[in-house]
Amino acid sequence: MEETIAGTESAQIPQQRGESLQETAVRYAEERHWDVFPGTWLEAVAGVQRCSCGEPACVLPGAHPTREDWPTQATGSATVARRLWSEEPTASILLPTGRTFDAIEVPETAGFLALARMERMELTLGPVTCAPDRRMHFFVLPGAAAKVPDLVRKLGWPPASLDLVALGEGAYVAAPPTRFGSGGAVQWACRPTPANRWLPDAEELISPLAYACGRDR
């Protein structure tokens, strides 16, 4: 079963124990209508986990695109997704942003502080991931990448002063249960459920996120 960080979501989409990466990718396409595409994967080389790209100093081992034209490879078709992962069953699951969602990326410490603040404010959250590189991604409606800098300025912060970035067209996030590096797997801090199918606008979340990033500097 996918690992989930407890305390942020009670209702969960049912899932079979031992579900493969292929089946998970297919579910993302079928149930959430998210585009998906396979990335690199980890390989054991002399007892050490290395990225399939072959670069010893890879910065995202096991979790980056395998080709430059990856946007054309991304698909929302469950049938195509099943075929892609049948070709490489251990490939990471990558989700392009700027299509059905954008993502606001913040450090893990700021992300959990923001989550606690959002719960007190009774804000409706979309899915949120927490990755092994200690970065969190808050899924929001497309268009966030264009307006987040102005929203941050309106709150009194120079955008460059905060470790907060919105990912839109041309970017991607790694989805659970993708593993990369030696730090473990991407997890859900807030799982996709029927209740959060409708994503929040960036404007709804930016205040607690900017506040948390300001505290985390």
Side-chain angles (χ1 to χ4, degrees), residues 57-188:
C58 180
V59 296
L60 283 174
H64 64 83
T66 60
R67 40 196 269 190
E68 291 185 3
D69 66 342
W70 63 262
T72 66
Q73 188 185 26
T75 179
S77 164
T79 300
V80 175
R82 190 177 298 280
R83 176 179 59 77
L84 289 172
W85 269 270
S86 68
E87 296 170 1
E88 181 44 65
T90 60
S92 55
I93 302 174
L94 305 181
L95 310 175
T97 52
R99 300 188 181 189
T100 51
F101 65 87
D102 280 6
I104 301 177
E105 178 184 321
V106 298
E108 180 183 279
T109 50
F112 281 114
L113 176 61
L115 279 176
R117 192 174 179 86
M118 290 172 186
E119 288 180 349
R120 291 195 298 270
M121 297 168 68
E122 298 184 348
L123 293 179
T124 300
L125 294 174
V128 181
T129 64
C130 185
D133 59 358
R134 304 185 71 83
R135 306 291 291 180
M136 294 179 72
H137 294 92
F138 289 72
F139 289 22
V140 293
L141 288 173
K147 59 186 178 183
V148 158
D150 282 340
L151 292 173
V152 170
R153 287 189 192 95
K154 289 178 181 178
L155 293 170
W157 296 96
S161 70
L162 299 181
D163 188 2
L164 179 155
V165 61
L167 304 177
E169 186 175 358
Y172 62 90
V173 297
T178 293
R179 292 183 175 274
F180 63 88
S182 59
V186 183
Q187 302 178 50
W188 290 115

Side-chain angles (χ1 to χ4, degrees), residues 18-82:
E19 186 175 48
S20 68
L21 286 162
Q22 181 190 61
E23 290 303 317
T24 304
V26 168
R27 283 202 309 119
Y28 289 153
E30 283 183 336
E31 298 180 14
R32 301 299 290 202
H33 304 294
W34 289 341
D35 283 4
V36 297
F37 69 99
T40 54
W41 56 93
L42 293 174
E43 297 177 331
V45 178
V48 178
Q49 293 291 324
R50 297 274 180 84
C51 185
S52 62
C53 72
E55 175 55 57
C58 180
V59 296
L60 283 174
H64 64 83
T66 60
R67 40 196 269 190
E68 291 185 3
D69 66 342
W70 63 262
T72 66
Q73 188 185 26
T75 179
S77 164
T79 300
V80 175
R82 190 177 298 280

